[in-house]
Amino acid sequence: MDGVFPGGTSVTRLSVYPGACAADGLAGGTPHMHLASTEAYVVIGGAGELHTLNTAGHRGTPLSTGSVVWFTPGVIHRAVNHGDLQVVVVMSNAGLPEAGDAVMTFPPDVVADADRYRAAVELPVDERRDLAVRGFLRLVADPAALEEFYDHAVALVRPKAGGWRDIWASTAEAQTRRTGEVIDALAHGDGRHLRESELITTPQSETERLGMCGRLRTYDVRNGVTL
């Protein structure tokens, strides 16, 4: 458990893409959803909007410095940049998104075919985004198509999901179990864990990488350094 970020979460610095999408002219990222993890945005600069779609419908939520918004598995989301949008992303289940807990909203003929989906994921960032936005706009225009997209998304991640349990067990589950042990100990007057307390840090990655919504600087929150 030493060095693991609170709650088994992960933290990422996100600079949302400024370039406009050919499909609708909006600047921003690739619409996608997570199937097991909840994601939160803490806006630290700039302005924009979060476009979401789920069974409750399509919504645009304004984003400005100080905004905090989060969304649960099944919410398709797209960050739209109105001007230098900067976000700290807090994601539950650290390690699961990196292990495949995300499906982009490519058109149905792509998400229905695992090989075509994998090929689309490898497209250059702008092409990948434009393809996913076309699929997203179709889902917005035809809410009934969302059910089909959910089914295809589950089929795409099903081969990977068996391995996710080990990742989850080593982060979120382990921390929850540890908190239960601490509460039980305190109820018996046992404070030994206080004598094992630590101050932990982890550096921001030195280089940016291209993510679905923008340029990312990550933190290795699973291997913090004790100060």
Side-chain angles (χ1 to χ4, degrees), residues 17 22 29 31 36 38 40 59 81 125 129 132 140 143 161 171 189 192 201-202 209 220:
Y17 291 126
T38 292
R59 179 188 299 269
N81 192 350
V125 170
R129 178 200 55 194
V140 171
T171 55
R192 281 177 292 178
T201 187
T202 188
R209 66 179 179 84
D220 186 6

Side-chain angles (χ1 to χ4, degrees), residues 45-211:
E49 196 170 22
L50 179 69
H51 289 190
T52 56
L53 176 66
N54 62 354
T55 55
H58 179 229
R59 179 188 299 269
T61 302
L63 300 175
S64 59
T65 302
S67 296
V68 176
V69 61
W70 63 92
F71 34 93
T72 61
V75 174
I76 297 169
H77 50 283
R78 176 193 185 193
V80 175
N81 192 350
H82 291 168
D84 194 27
L85 183 58
Q86 303 287 324
V87 178
V88 172
V89 178
V90 181
M91 177 74 71
S92 69
N93 305 320
L96 288 196
E98 295 82 357
D101 179 21
V103 172
M104 300 180 218
T105 57
F106 298 134
D109 59 325
V110 178
V111 293
D113 185 312
D115 291 335
R116 293 189 64 183
Y117 181 86
R118 283 192 291 270
V121 168
E122 297 301 321
L123 289 171
V125 170
D126 287 350
E127 292 181 31
R128 184 180 70 183
R129 178 200 55 194
D130 290 357
L131 183 63
V133 168
R134 290 204 298 272
F136 177 70
L137 294 175
R138 176 183 180 274
L139 294 174
V140 171
D142 180 13
L146 185 60
E147 292 291 336
E148 181 183 47
F149 175 76
Y150 281 161
D151 289 340
H152 289 323
V154 170
L156 284 171
V157 305
R158 185 178 180 183
K160 309 172 187 175
W164 292 356
R165 177 168 288 275
D166 290 341
I167 297 171
W168 167 75
S170 68
T171 55
E173 185 191 33
Q175 289 210 14
T176 299
R177 186 168 57 248
R178 174 58 177 160
T179 300
E181 293 169 352
V182 165
I183 291 171
D184 289 344
L186 290 171
H188 289 87
D190 181 355
R192 281 177 292 178
H193 66 286
L194 303 177
R195 293 157 181 82
E196 301 169 358
S197 56
E198 297 176 309
L199 173 63
I200 301 163
T201 187
T202 188
Q204 180 178 253
S205 60
E206 294 183 359
T207 58
E208 291 184 331
R209 66 179 179 84
L210 302 181

